[in-house]
Amino acid sequence: AILAIWLLSKVTPLVDRLVPSSAKPVFTPLLAFTVTSTITLSFVGPAGIWLSNGAGWVMSSLLEISPTLTGFIFGLTRPITIVFGIHHSMTPISLNNFALYGKDLLMPIMCLGNMAIAGATMAIWHKQRKYVSKEQSSITAGSSVTAILGITEPALFGVLTKYTKAMMTASLAAGVFGAISVTIDTHLTSYILSSVFSLPAYLASGTQNFVQALMGVVGVFALSYVLTMLLVKLDNK
């Protein structure tokens, strides 16, 4: 969808030059949409699928080379892959891991990524209070809460895409704790959504696994929050 909108922004001015002034209100958007949708369905959509499949292949290959490195890269790229919608390519890998090994190491990192996004967004809210209205800052705070509950899109598209350094700090925190999570074998034995409500599922593999998951969630949120507070500057512009 993001690539399609970018394409539309390029096609519209070109079409606008060809359409007479009197017909622009009707035919410019109609022709721009027709051209863009055709190119999107023919090329952009398939390219997105290939990109998703490629990301899945990379992760599968890295798991065979170094699980710790895979955890770092997967955590580091998690927020970015959500923005571009290719994060769903990881789900088949996790499901395959459940079938083959009875557990999966990637899904806990998905949860860590969400918590990192929540931590960075909460830090932005803390900084925003000096410069924006109470209503605007409350939207940011609400976005952080929804990320904790497993829905990261409001935080990503409403907050972190505006503050790219905060996106980077969230990614770094997720990468660090992703590597730790894989190294200490924090895992799930069944598919579940990535939120704080998923924590009881870690008890299926014992108390230690649950404690590791809980410490990871708290730690990645705190690290993301602290890094964002230290490295991201806001002003009243």
Side-chain angles (χ1 to χ4, degrees):
I2 292 174
L3 292 175
I5 294 301
W6 174 82
L7 179 63
L8 180 63
S9 73
K10 302 299 181 181
V11 170
T12 300
L14 296 177
V15 172
D16 193 59
R17 296 175 187 174
L18 303 175
V19 177
S21 299
S22 59
K24 288 183 186 296
V26 174
F27 286 99
T28 293
L30 176 62
L31 292 175
F33 175 78
T34 301
V35 173
T36 301
S37 60
T38 301
I39 296 175
T40 298
L41 292 174
S42 301
F43 301 102
V44 176
I49 294 174
W50 296 333
L51 185 60
S52 293
N53 292 339
W57 177 82
V58 169
M59 285 300 164
S60 297
S61 301
L62 283 173
L63 275 171
E64 297 179 3
I65 299 172
S66 172
T68 300
L69 177 61
T70 304
F72 177 76
I73 294 177
F74 186 40
L76 185 70
T77 58
R78 177 67 180 173
I80 300 170
T81 57
I82 296 175
V83 169
F84 287 97
I86 61 176
H87 59 296
H88 292 298
S89 62
M90 299 299 114
T91 300
I93 299 176
S94 295
L95 295 176
N96 188 57
N97 289 339
F98 290 135
L100 292 178
Y101 312 114
K103 67 176 185 179
D104 176 60
L105 301 173
L106 294 180
M107 288 202 67
I109 305 177
M110 298 179 191
C111 185
L112 293 174
N114 289 356
M115 297 306 111
I117 292 168
T121 305
M122 188 62 72
I124 293 296
W125 166 77
H126 185 85
K127 289 175 173 286
Q128 265 187 346
R129 295 181 301 166
K130 300 178 181 179
Y131 306 113
V132 302
S133 66
K134 184 177 180 180
E135 289 75 15
Q136 288 177 299
S137 64
S138 66
I139 292 174
T140 303
S143 298
S144 178
V145 173
T146 58
I148 294 173
L149 300 179
I151 307 299
T152 56
E153 283 76 9
L156 284 170
F157 296 107
V159 181
L160 297 190
T161 52
K162 298 178 182 178
Y163 306 100
T164 53
K165 284 187 178 180
M167 176 80 76
M168 294 170 62
T169 56
S171 298
L172 180 59
V176 170
F177 274 86
I180 295 173
S181 176
V182 172
T183 301
I184 62 177
D185 192 36
T186 305
H187 60 270
L188 282 167
T189 57
S190 60
Y191 182 87
I192 194 168
L193 296 179
S194 300
S195 76
V196 291
F197 293 121
S198 69
L199 287 173
Y202 291 86
L203 286 168
S205 297
T207 304
Q208 181 179 345
N209 190 58
F210 170 76
V211 172
Q212 290 175 183
L214 180 61
M215 292 179 64
V217 165
V218 174
V220 75
F221 182 95
L223 179 59
S224 182
Y225 180 91
V226 171
L227 288 176
T228 305
M229 291 294 293
L230 291 176
L231 300 178
V232 179
K233 295 182 179 180
L234 274 64
D235 54 34
N236 58 357
K237 294 181 181 181

